[in-house]
Amino acid sequence: MREHNLNRLALIDARFGRATAVEGAEEAFDEAFLRVREAVLRPVMEDVAGELRKLGHAPRIAVEDLDHEGDPMRSCIVLHLGKRGRGEASGYVAFGVVRDGPAPEVLAWLMAPPTPFDLLRYAHPDRIDEGHVEQLLVDAIEQLFARSAG
C-alpha cells in the first residue's frame, strides 16, 4: 500500500475510529460548539455580512434550529444571504452539530434551495478557526451567487 494512503488511513482512524460514548461528552461538545459559535463563527459571519451589505444585499445572521436532510439540528448559526432581488430565496450557509455517527461533529453546509450541500465536518468545535471559516463562507457564497445568476 502506498505510504500516503497508509498515513491517510491512520488519520481517518484517529478521527473517527476511536470515538466512544463518554458520559457527559455530548454536553461538553455542545458547550464547546456554543462557545466557538459566539467567539469564532458569529464574528466572521458579521464581517462577511457587513461586506455583503456594502454591496447592496440584505444578509441576516440567525441562531436557529434547522432540519438537515431529515435530521434536526439545534443551536445552528446561519448566514442567510439575502441576495439583492432574491432575498431569503438566495440560500444560506450554516454550522450546526450533527449526530449521525459514533460521535458528534460540527457540520458546515450550504442550502441552495431546495438542495443542501455538505461543505465540511469538524471533529471538534475547537478545530474551527477564523481564517478557514472566512474562506469557507466566501467559497459557499460564490456557489450560491453563481447558482442564482441565471
Side-chain angles (χ1 to χ4, degrees), residues 2-18:
R2 295 179 186 166
E3 185 69 26
H4 74 275
N5 284 331
L6 288 171
N7 292 335
R8 186 167 178 212
L9 285 175
L11 290 172
I12 291 167
D13 180 62
R15 181 173 177 201
F16 300 109
R18 300 169 194 219

Side-chain angles (χ1 to χ4, degrees), residues 65-74 92 97-100 107 109 111 114-116 118 121:
D65 295 345
L66 293 174
D67 180 76
H68 177 68
E69 297 184 341
D71 295 322
M73 298 178 67
R74 296 184 322 256
Y92 62 79
V97 176
V98 64
R99 289 181 167 78
D100 63 359
L107 175 65
W109 78 98
M111 174 58 81
T115 308
D118 293 359
R121 289 177 181 249

Side-chain angles (χ1 to χ4, degrees), residues 80-84 86-92 111-113 144-145 148:
H80 295 274
L81 292 190
K83 184 179 175 192
R84 184 177 46 251
R86 291 194 39 99
E88 293 288 318
S90 56
Y92 62 79
M111 174 58 81
L144 290 169
F145 274 45
S148 66

Side-chain angles (χ1 to χ4, degrees), residues 33-49 60-64 75-79 95 128 130 133 137:
F33 174 70
L34 294 176
R35 178 180 41 76
V36 169
R37 183 185 76 187
E38 297 307 315
V40 177
L41 296 171
R42 184 183 299 277
V44 175
M45 285 184 172
E46 287 172 351
D47 286 346
V48 171
R60 176 176 64 88
I61 298 168
V63 173
E64 56 192 66
S75 306
C76 299
I77 186 162
V78 185
L79 173 60
F95 290 78
I128 300 171
E130 294 169 352
V133 170
L137 288 174

